[in-house]
Amino acid sequence: MEFIVDSVEKTMHIGYMLGELAKAGDVFCLTGDLGTGKTHISKGFAKGLGVSEHITSPTFTIVNEYNSGRLPLYHFDVYRVNDSDEIMAIGFDEYIFGNGVSLIEWANYIEDILPENFVHISIKKLPHLGDEYRKIAIRPYGEGYSYIKELKL
């Protein structure tokens, strides 16, 4: 499933729709270059879950936990992770196999430890169309994500 968006608001709306549909134990993996909109997807996702806290990218802390929504949100940013052992040391398995929803920015850096079941969200800039244009591709892997087909922009 692919969407072409031309604004931050539409990017956040895709995250919002995913957050509204997310279930406990779901894992969402975001990839894309710097400045493509991963954190905007994350902010929309948190709103869709009903999270009331201010969402920031956990670049230096690796994971931020938000508990004010209908499910706990575990927001990872693994951009500065040197190897998978580093993220395993913070209890990665306990998060992704727990009762919350995991959202992982820069997930391509830890592909070797991702679970079999997850949703990959790839964001690419489309400069030939304009500065704000992005292609957001959403692809579920494994079981349990049939609800992804319900997404409409």
Side-chain angles (χ1 to χ4, degrees):
M1 166 176 305
E2 292 183 355
F3 298 95
I4 304 296
V5 297
D6 60 0
S7 69
V8 168
E9 293 77 23
K10 288 179 183 174
T11 301
M12 289 179 69
H13 183 67
I14 289 172
Y16 181 86
M17 292 186 305
L18 288 167
E20 276 193 317
L21 297 171
K23 303 181 311 283
D26 284 354
V27 177
F28 294 84
C29 297
L30 293 153
T31 61
D33 292 336
L34 282 170
T36 54
K38 293 180 296 296
T39 301
H40 291 301
I41 290 273
S42 298
K43 288 179 178 185
F45 191 95
K47 283 187 188 223
L49 273 177
V51 172
S52 60
E53 293 110 319
H54 178 70
I55 304 301
T56 60
S57 190
T59 303
F60 296 101
T61 59
I62 301 176
V63 63
N64 286 340
E65 295 182 43
Y66 301 98
N67 293 298
S68 62
R70 66 178 174 82
L71 294 168
L73 172 61
Y74 311 125
H75 181 200
F76 293 86
D77 183 330
V78 297
Y79 183 73
R80 299 196 187 285
V81 170
N82 294 316
D83 62 47
S84 297
D85 290 339
E86 186 178 342
I87 195 160
M88 292 303 286
I90 66 164
F92 183 67
D93 279 353
E94 293 170 23
Y95 286 110
I96 64 166
F97 296 115
N99 293 325
V101 178
S102 297
L103 186 63
I104 307 167
E105 294 188 35
W106 298 98
N108 49 306
Y109 285 26
I110 59 164
E111 287 177 342
D112 59 319
I113 61 169
L114 293 177
E116 290 181 18
N117 300 318
F118 66 91
V119 175
H120 180 221
I121 304 165
S122 170
I123 310 171
K124 293 184 183 342
K125 291 181 181 180
L126 300 174
H128 63 285
L129 296 177
D131 290 343
E132 295 297 318
Y133 281 84
R134 305 288 189 267
K135 177 171 80 170
I136 301 173
I138 302 170
R139 181 174 179 197
Y141 288 86
E143 299 177 12
Y145 297 102
S146 59
Y147 63 82
I148 295 296
K149 295 174 189 167
E150 298 175 25
L151 289 180
K152 292 183 175 77
L153 190 58

